[in-house]
Amino acid sequence: MRIINKESDFRKWIDYWILREDLDIEMDFKKIATEICNGSMIATIDSIIQFCQKLLNHRFFDEAELISEKFEKRASDKSSYMFLKAQIMLHKKRQIEALDILQSIKDEYSDLPYVIENILSLALLNKRSISPQVIRYAEKIDTAKAWALLAEYYAENNQKESAMDAITKALLRSKSDDVLIASHYFRLHVQFCGEDECRSVSRIEKDTCA
């Protein structure tokens, strides 16, 4: 058995650097990323993914992408690695690539708001279709943001009643200081005002316990 008793030994392990970052100890992220890409670090795929998350948190997007590309073929859990790639694409404003990746892992992450909400948001921004399955997942995660995005989708398709139902649910699930959802509610209310389907006040009362 080899006993490791020098800090220099630990420096070869990515987990050591992950721990240092967890303890908020300053480090040279670019240098460590270069050493990882050069193969001079000891790591598992899980620790590589963890370190890439740290890189994203510190806005080293190019370094995270380089590492992800180098080790992608070694990843046994493809869904977790694809999730990382989607995050990188989002940070780098490559929306279509991010959307395609998120669509490919939506079933594995159907209960994760980050995935489903971003699919809705990116699809709406880029005029892409939204599948009934994604809509069901959004209803299931039941967050204020998911309902607000569904409301926008229904409004764009002129489904007035569904839009008002969705934005009402978003409003009821939002925080009291969420100005964006409140303004979204009133915008849709004004947009559909006068329509028979728009009975927003009664819906709020009816959905209070939803």
Side-chain angles (χ1 to χ4, degrees):
M1 178 187 297
R2 180 190 176 195
I3 299 175
I4 299 175
N5 55 16
K6 295 181 180 179
E7 186 179 15
S8 59
D9 292 325
F10 288 111
R11 287 174 178 270
K12 298 176 183 178
W13 293 78
I14 293 182
D15 300 85
Y16 168 81
W17 297 104
I18 292 172
L19 178 59
R20 282 177 66 95
E21 197 279 339
D22 287 341
L23 296 172
D24 204 23
I25 300 173
E26 189 174 344
M27 66 182 75
D28 188 340
F29 282 98
K30 285 195 172 186
K31 180 182 177 182
I32 298 165
T34 299
E35 291 181 6
I36 293 171
C37 287
N38 291 340
S40 56
M41 285 278 185
I42 302 171
T44 63
I45 291 298
D46 286 342
S47 62
I48 288 171
I49 292 174
Q50 277 187 271
F51 189 76
C52 283
Q53 295 284 357
K54 305 291 187 184
L55 289 172
L56 294 179
N57 292 341
H58 289 274
R59 305 188 66 80
F60 290 100
F61 306 142
D62 291 338
E63 289 76 10
E65 184 176 15
L66 284 172
I67 293 172
S68 71
E69 289 175 348
K70 184 174 180 64
F71 293 96
E72 182 175 356
K73 291 181 180 179
R74 289 174 50 188
S76 56
D77 184 354
K78 291 296 181 183
S79 60
S80 63
Y81 218 85
M82 295 303 284
F83 178 64
L84 170 65
K85 285 191 67 176
Q87 291 177 286
I88 294 170
M89 296 301 102
L90 279 170
H91 280 295
K92 300 193 76 172
K93 312 298 182 187
R94 287 152 62 177
Q95 295 183 353
I96 299 300
E97 291 171 82
L99 177 58
D100 289 342
I101 295 170
L102 290 170
Q103 291 276 24
S104 73
I105 60 172
K106 66 181 183 298
D107 295 331
E108 291 90 336
Y109 292 95
S110 62
D111 58 348
L112 190 64
Y114 180 93
V115 171
I116 304 306
E117 290 170 357
N118 272 300
I119 289 175
L120 290 170
S121 179
L122 293 170
L124 288 167
L125 284 170
N126 293 282
K127 307 299 181 184
R128 295 297 183 95
S129 62
I130 296 173
S131 69
Q133 189 175 40
V134 169
I135 293 173
R136 288 194 296 272
Y137 289 155
E139 293 173 345
K140 186 177 178 180
I141 62 174
D142 198 27
T143 63
K145 184 176 181 180
W147 283 111
L149 289 165
L150 284 176
E152 191 64 28
Y153 165 75
Y154 290 131
E156 287 189 2
N157 288 275
N158 204 34
Q159 298 179 38
K160 304 177 182 69
E161 186 171 352
S162 294
M164 290 309 303
D165 281 342
I167 198 58
T168 298
K169 287 183 170 68
L171 188 64
L172 289 166
R173 288 154 179 76
S174 65
K175 296 179 180 179
S176 58
D177 59 349
D178 195 329
V179 177
L180 287 176
I181 288 183
S183 61
H184 192 181
Y185 173 85
F186 287 110
R187 177 172 62 82
L188 290 182
H189 185 277
V190 170
Q191 180 180 342
F192 297 137
C193 186
E195 298 287 348
D196 291 338
E197 296 91 341
C198 181
R199 298 185 294 273
S200 58
V201 175
S202 64
R203 284 201 184 89
I204 289 177
E205 296 172 350
K206 179 180 178 181
D207 200 46
T208 298
C209 296

